[in-house]
Amino acid sequence: MHVRMDWDNSPQLVRTHVRRVFGELAALTKDQPVSLEHQDDELIGWLSQLCLLVNLPFHYLIPTESMLPDDSIRLFYVNPNWLQALVDGACSLGRNASLDLTHDQELIDAVISQIGKRMKAVRPLLQSKSVTAKELDEEVQAIGGFLLRSPLVRGWRGLEFKALSSQGTPLRALRIELLSDDVLIGLFEGIPYTLELDQPPEGYFFGFNHINGRYMKRLRNLDSGELLSESDSIEVAVQNEKMRTIDVYQTAKHMEAYFKKEITSAEFALQMIKTPYIGKVVRKDE
């Protein structure tokens, strides 16, 4: 109480001087490089995870179940003012006097800047990957993400997610984590306009399509491996439909007739690969 009264009753000149000192300290803090040593930045590291919505009560994110029903995905944008209020609230626990409030008001922007840089290191460090100091030079300017509630989360543990900006630029993943058996959250540096959901890479297999009672295989460029057009397809010869076996020799002959060259076993394998399915969610602004 005495500290609060002394500060509130102190001369304006003293209060101005103290604020100037705090302001200079804030400028130094904002410009200093981010340290990845645990003992040096334990608080910044904890606040960085907080700003990635780690350990927040779920009802802070989804106030009512109707906002995230079964079999749904929701794209969202994280309001930076909300994050600043979150950090301010987390740092307010030790405030006992108005001097503490003045200190926080001057330093909070600098702390937010440090957190914005440190957030880029949270996911790589959890994955035991290295992070260079250069990667942490610039702070995160915007955070967008998604919430997925679906049996896919439980059934496909290796799902991969790729977010693209409105210009088609890939966005850095800041956090992709399970919140429950059927709910998953993803956060990216930037605002996703397109979200790609890829089956796990181990889902590669040999396959073809059943079209109008025939088994057809869409071919690939022999040099690049890229898929050709739908019309560039050959029929897959079936050896025994009941036993679900194909005639490899005859199918290879169909490929040779299309490419007008002899097909090697490696080229045959390339043609028969069927990549895992990719689902896309595209944001449409009204």
Side-chain angles (χ1 to χ4, degrees):
M1 180 63 68
H2 289 298
V3 174
R4 182 184 297 273
M5 291 178 61
D6 289 345
W7 171 251
D8 290 341
N9 296 328
S10 61
Q12 183 63 36
L13 182 62
V14 174
R15 298 171 70 173
T16 301
H17 176 69
V18 171
R19 285 196 173 93
R20 180 179 61 79
V21 172
F22 285 160
E24 292 175 354
L25 178 60
L28 291 173
T29 302
K30 186 173 183 178
D31 294 335
Q32 71 181 12
V34 177
S35 172
L36 297 180
E37 296 297 329
H38 181 71
Q39 64 273 16
D40 291 341
D41 73 337
E42 185 173 357
L43 179 58
I44 294 297
W46 178 75
L47 290 172
S48 299
Q49 293 188 45
L50 188 66
C51 286
L52 292 178
L53 313 182
V54 175
N55 294 327
L56 280 185
F58 188 68
H59 65 268
Y60 281 22
L61 307 177
I62 303 295
T64 173
E65 187 177 0
S66 62
M67 297 181 67
L68 188 67
D70 291 333
D71 300 315
S72 66
I73 187 169
R74 296 289 184 264
L75 301 180
F76 61 86
Y77 163 72
V78 181
N79 190 318
N81 294 325
W82 189 89
L83 288 182
Q84 185 155 351
L86 181 67
V87 172
D88 181 63
C91 295
S92 69
L93 299 177
R95 288 179 192 155
N96 294 311
S98 54
L99 179 60
D100 297 328
L101 177 60
T102 300
H103 172 273
D104 287 354
Q105 287 173 339
E106 296 295 337
L107 288 181
I108 195 69
D109 288 339
V111 171
I112 289 289
S113 176
Q114 289 290 298
I115 292 170
K117 299 173 184 177
R118 184 65 167 72
M119 279 194 289
K120 296 180 182 180
V122 171
R123 188 164 186 256
L125 291 179
L126 288 175
Q127 297 174 330
S128 300
K129 296 180 180 179
S130 61
V131 182
T132 64
K134 186 175 181 180
E135 292 180 77
L136 308 181
D137 284 345
E138 300 293 333
E139 60 186 284
V140 174
Q141 298 297 323
I143 300 176
F146 70 90
L147 278 165
L148 171 65
R149 184 182 183 187
S150 169
L152 284 173
V153 176
R154 184 188 307 109
W156 299 90
R157 291 292 184 177
L159 281 176
E160 296 186 353
F161 300 88
K162 180 181 179 182
L164 305 174
S165 69
S166 56
Q167 290 78 33
T169 306
L171 303 178
R172 178 200 297 263
L174 299 175
R175 181 191 179 197
I176 297 178
E177 187 176 353
L178 290 174
L179 298 182
S180 70
D181 285 343
D182 62 348
V183 177
L184 183 143
I185 188 173
L187 294 174
F188 300 90
E189 183 183 0
I191 310 303
Y193 276 75
T194 301
L195 181 67
E196 295 183 356
L197 293 76
D198 300 357
Q199 281 186 317
E202 57 267 25
Y204 278 88
F205 58 95
F206 280 6
F208 40 85
N209 297 320
H210 192 204
I211 302 175
N212 297 327
R214 301 169 64 196
Y215 296 101
M216 305 298 295
K217 181 61 186 177
R218 184 178 173 184
L219 299 176
R220 296 175 176 273
N221 185 293
L222 289 175
D223 296 322
S224 65
E226 294 181 1
L227 282 171
L228 301 176
S229 65
E230 291 284 356
S231 59
D232 296 312
S233 301
I234 55 100
E235 184 172 2
V236 176
V238 178
Q239 186 178 65
N240 188 323
E241 188 162 353
K242 187 175 181 180
M243 297 294 293
R244 297 171 60 85
T245 58
I246 68 171
D247 187 333
V248 173
Y249 177 81
Q250 191 59 45
T251 302
K253 287 298 181 182
H254 291 171
M255 293 180 186
E256 290 178 352
Y258 176 87
F259 289 109
K260 297 180 174 54
K261 67 181 288 293
E262 185 176 349
I263 296 294
T264 66
S265 58
E267 290 170 334
F268 179 83
L270 171 67
Q271 296 302 325
M272 293 303 294
I273 282 177
K274 190 172 182 65
T275 56
Y277 290 106
I278 299 176
K280 286 187 178 182
V281 178
V282 181
R283 170 181 167 183
K284 293 184 178 179
D285 294 328
E286 298 295 336

